[in-house]
């Protein structure tokens, strides 16, 4: 069965509206015409996305070994949603947390308005077109007007690499006016097959809303990972990103905050640790379009072994966004002479009445700090991890949810220990 026939079969199995099937078909036709995503210091071929599975849909379920977790609101294993657990309090307030394909069936007008129309477009680049064409997993979260959630929404997304199947996963968050929520996601992989994970997040923050998005990520070495996470932030709305990229795989990704409303606010914080021969290329972008808007970027990376990490921090203030602020920090710590890291700050300012600043640094561990710790009897490996923890502390300590912060620290510790074992060998 060719890809077009599989695509139609996938749409039929999901009982999708006809407009979505047509958009899939158009995106599939555009794949060969579009270029790879544009990124400074990234060249197509640096990360290989050609390992595309010939199968784009499957009825095989292999989630028997995934156990329920009643503290988690939703669990997806590959293309299957295996648990949805929304509290009666949230449901009574009108909160919607459902499988994306259930949303396409039950809320077609809503999805037609918001899905890949306002925030991310399917024709922006080759990988976005593939995402729309072969979409096979996803979640919708809707927070109604004036609803403030005290408890976080927590989901677990598990890549199913027990079989050959690429993962095209989409998260759509719509926070209506004056609403507030915290969204926590944890990404992992089960299985040993080599697959692509092509994941997108769209956040639409209506006037006065507040969204905290946190992600703890540990995808496997055999994955090739592309992510595109965009937020459209309206008047007086706030979006805060806290992302821990602890994956073991080659990665290409972008976080993009569009501050379109007056008084809008974005704070994009990211930690990345690379090891082995892993390669990661990250764009972290904030665009101030509304007056008196604030865009902050703080990203820190640690490189082990022969890995490569490129941080591009991009702050743009467009004409008319007077009274706005753009500030960014991009810092990379080199733990191996064989690693390569770059921190590239970029400010694009087209307005006078603004505040804009940037900072960037790339360098090895401070030997003074290491000598101090080791002179107190702390072994070299442990001293090295303490220095790294201190380096990343500026971002980790700012993660708003303490449970997410602790998960990031635990995964960080495991990855550092594994990296030190690699160096010892």
């Amino acid at each position: 069965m060719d890809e077009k026939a599989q695509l139609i079969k996938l749409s039929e199995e999901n009982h999708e509206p006809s407009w979505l099937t047509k958009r899939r078909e158009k995106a599939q036709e555009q794949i060969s015409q579009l270029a790879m995503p544009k990124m400074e210091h990234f060249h197509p071929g640096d990360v290989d996305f050609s390992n595309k599975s010939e199968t784009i849909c499957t009825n095989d379920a292999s989630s028997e070994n995934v156990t329920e977790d009643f503290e988690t609101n939703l669990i997806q294993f590959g293309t299957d949603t295996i648990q949805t657990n929304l509290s009666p309090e949230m449901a009574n307030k009108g909160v919607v947390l459902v499988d994306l394909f259930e949303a396409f069936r039950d809320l077609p007008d809503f999805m037609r308005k918001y899905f890949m129309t306002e925030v991310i477009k399917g024709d922006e680049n080759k990988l976005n077109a593939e995402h729309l064409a072969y979409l096979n997993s996803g979640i919708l979260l809707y927070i109604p007007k004036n609803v403030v959630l005290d408890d976080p929404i927590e989901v677990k997304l598990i890549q199913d690499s027990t079989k050959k199947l690429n993962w095209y996963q989409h998260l759509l968050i719509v926070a209506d006016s004056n609403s507030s929520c915290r969204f926590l996601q944890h990404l992992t992989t089960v299985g040993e097959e080599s697959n692509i994970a092509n994941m997108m997040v769209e956040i639409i923050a209506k006037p006065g809303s507040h969204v905290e998005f946190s992600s703890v990520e540990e995808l496997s070495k055999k994955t090739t990972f592309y992510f595109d996470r965009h937020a459209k932030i309206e008047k007086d709305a706030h979006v805060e990103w806290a992302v821990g990229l602890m994956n073991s795989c080659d990665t290409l990704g972008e976080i993009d905050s569009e501050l379109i409303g007056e008084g809008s606010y974005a704070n994009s914080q990211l930690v990345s640790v690379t090891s082995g021969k892993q390669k990661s290329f990250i764009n972290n972008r904030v665009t101030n379009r509304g007056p008196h808007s604030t865009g902050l970027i703080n990203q820190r990376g640690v490189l082990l072994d022969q890995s490569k990490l490129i941080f591009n921090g991009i702050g743009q203030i467009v004409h008319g966004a007077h009274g706005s602020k753009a500030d960014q920090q991009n810092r990379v710590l080199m733990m191996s002479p064989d690693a390569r890291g770059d921190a590239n700050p970029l400010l694009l300012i087209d307005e006078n009445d603004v505040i804009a600043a940037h900072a960037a640094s790339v360098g090895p561990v401070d030997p003074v700090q290491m000598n101090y710790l080791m002179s107190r009897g702390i072994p070299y490996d442990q001293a090295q991890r303490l220095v790294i923890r201190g380096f990343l502390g500026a971002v980790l300590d700012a993660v708003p949810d303490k449970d997410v912060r602790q998960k990031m620290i635990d995964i960080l510790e495991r990855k550092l220990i594994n990296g030190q074992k690699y160096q010892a060998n």
Side-chain angles (χ1 to χ4, degrees):
M1 186 184 297
D2 63 22
E3 286 190 352
K4 186 171 183 178
Q6 287 193 72
L7 188 152
I8 294 172
K9 180 175 181 288
L10 177 63
S11 292
E12 290 175 347
E13 288 180 349
N14 291 326
H15 306 288
E16 296 172 5
S18 59
W19 59 263
L20 179 57
T21 304
K22 291 177 181 177
R23 288 179 61 188
R24 281 185 183 273
E25 292 174 337
K26 183 178 179 180
Q28 187 185 51
E29 293 171 357
Q30 293 175 321
I31 291 172
S32 61
Q33 305 165 15
L34 294 170
M36 290 289 287
K38 293 181 180 179
M39 185 176 293
E40 293 291 327
H41 304 282
F42 167 76
H43 303 284
D46 284 342
V47 178
D48 184 10
F49 288 94
S50 63
N51 183 29
K52 189 158 69 65
S53 171
E54 295 180 359
T55 302
I56 64 173
C57 59
T58 178
N59 290 322
D60 297 335
S62 52
S63 56
E64 311 84 37
N65 296 324
V66 180
T67 58
E68 291 186 342
D69 180 352
F70 293 106
E71 294 182 358
T72 300
N73 298 105
L74 188 145
I75 300 175
Q76 286 188 340
F77 184 84
T79 61
D80 299 328
T81 297
I82 62 174
Q83 174 182 311
T84 303
N85 179 29
L86 196 64
S87 71
E89 180 184 4
M90 290 184 183
N92 290 337
K93 289 181 177 180
V95 175
V96 176
L97 179 68
V98 295
D99 181 282
L100 196 70
F101 295 103
E102 182 180 340
F104 284 130
R105 293 190 295 268
D106 296 345
L107 303 167
D109 294 337
F110 181 93
M111 295 301 290
R112 188 171 189 174
K113 179 179 180 181
Y114 291 117
F115 173 72
M116 294 191 75
T117 57
E118 294 189 10
V119 186
I120 298 176
K121 303 291 181 63
D123 59 359
E124 290 178 6
N125 59 62
K126 183 183 184 72
L127 298 181
N128 283 25
E130 285 188 4
H131 180 92
L132 176 55
Y134 306 133
L135 177 73
N136 57 14
S137 177
I139 300 169
L140 166 67
L141 171 62
Y142 171 68
I143 311 297
K145 286 183 180 180
N146 303 316
V147 169
V148 176
L149 298 182
D150 296 323
D151 296 326
I153 300 285
E154 184 171 358
V155 306
K156 291 182 179 178
L157 304 177
I158 307 167
Q159 180 189 23
D160 181 7
S161 287
T162 62
K163 53 179 174 283
K164 190 67 181 168
L165 181 68
N166 292 328
W167 194 27
Y168 297 94
Q169 210 280 346
H170 196 100
L171 168 63
L172 173 61
I173 298 176
V174 181
D176 219 327
S177 302
N178 300 312
S179 64
S180 178
C181 71
R182 287 180 291 154
F183 182 88
L184 320 177
Q185 72 172 21
H186 186 195
L187 310 183
T188 57
T189 304
V190 171
E192 296 298 325
E193 288 287 350
S194 297
N195 284 315
I196 291 170
N198 183 320
M199 308 185 72
M200 294 192 178
V201 176
E202 296 185 284
I203 298 177
I204 299 172
K206 298 283 190 176
S209 63
H210 191 145
V211 178
E212 293 180 10
F213 175 93
S214 300
S215 184
V216 182
E217 308 177 8
E218 44 181 342
L219 298 179
S220 77
K221 182 179 180 180
K222 291 191 175 182
T223 299
T224 306
F225 184 30
Y226 171 68
F227 68 84
D228 190 356
R229 296 166 180 168
H230 276 53
K232 176 185 175 185
I233 308 169
E234 300 185 16
K235 187 178 187 304
D236 296 325
H238 285 216
V239 171
E240 300 188 34
W241 306 91
V243 178
L245 285 173
M246 308 298 178
N247 305 298
S248 299
C249 55
D250 289 348
T251 300
L252 173 65
E254 180 168 50
I255 300 175
D256 197 328
S257 303
E258 289 275 340
L259 296 159
I260 66 170
E262 182 174 2
S264 53
Y265 174 94
N267 188 4
S268 185
Q269 304 202 78
L270 184 147
V271 168
S272 179
V273 180
T274 57
S275 60
K277 295 184 179 181
Q278 180 183 357
K279 294 177 287 187
S280 291
F281 303 85
I282 311 297
N283 263 3
N284 203 335
R285 178 194 300 269
V286 177
T287 304
N288 299 70
R289 300 190 184 278
H292 305 289
S293 55
T294 300
L296 308 177
I297 296 171
N298 189 4
Q299 50 188 2
R300 301 203 174 196
V302 175
L303 288 85
L304 303 164
D305 315 321
Q306 296 174 297
S307 62
K308 180 178 181 180
L309 173 64
I310 307 294
F311 272 156
N312 295 316
I314 306 166
Q316 182 176 8
I317 300 179
V318 304
H319 184 67
H322 55 85
S324 293
K325 179 181 179 180
D327 185 87
Q328 61 172 286
Q329 294 189 41
N330 310 275
R331 304 192 184 278
V332 172
L333 185 63
M334 312 287 289
M335 301 301 299
S336 165
D338 299 321
R340 180 189 166 188
D342 286 318
N344 306 301
L346 181 62
L347 289 176
L348 306 171
I349 311 300
D350 194 22
E351 183 59 69
N352 293 319
D353 178 23
V354 299
I355 299 173
H358 65 75
S361 66
V362 177
V365 169
D366 186 344
V368 174
Q369 293 178 331
M370 288 292 294
N371 289 335
Y372 176 83
L373 292 171
M374 293 174 66
S375 69
R376 266 68 183 166
I378 298 174
Y380 177 86
D381 286 356
Q382 186 178 350
Q384 192 180 59
R385 296 198 299 272
L386 287 172
V387 170
I388 294 171
R389 281 276 300 274
F391 172 77
L392 299 177
V395 176
L396 292 173
D397 292 346
V399 174
D401 189 278
K402 65 179 182 179
D403 292 332
V404 174
R405 184 165 60 248
Q406 190 57 52
K407 284 180 183 178
M408 287 186 182
I409 292 171
D410 293 343
I411 296 170
L412 169 66
E413 191 74 9
R414 289 202 305 270
K415 189 158 188 176
L416 292 178
I417 291 172
N418 290 336
Q420 288 173 329
K421 289 179 181 177
Y422 180 98
Q423 287 178 310
N425 294 328

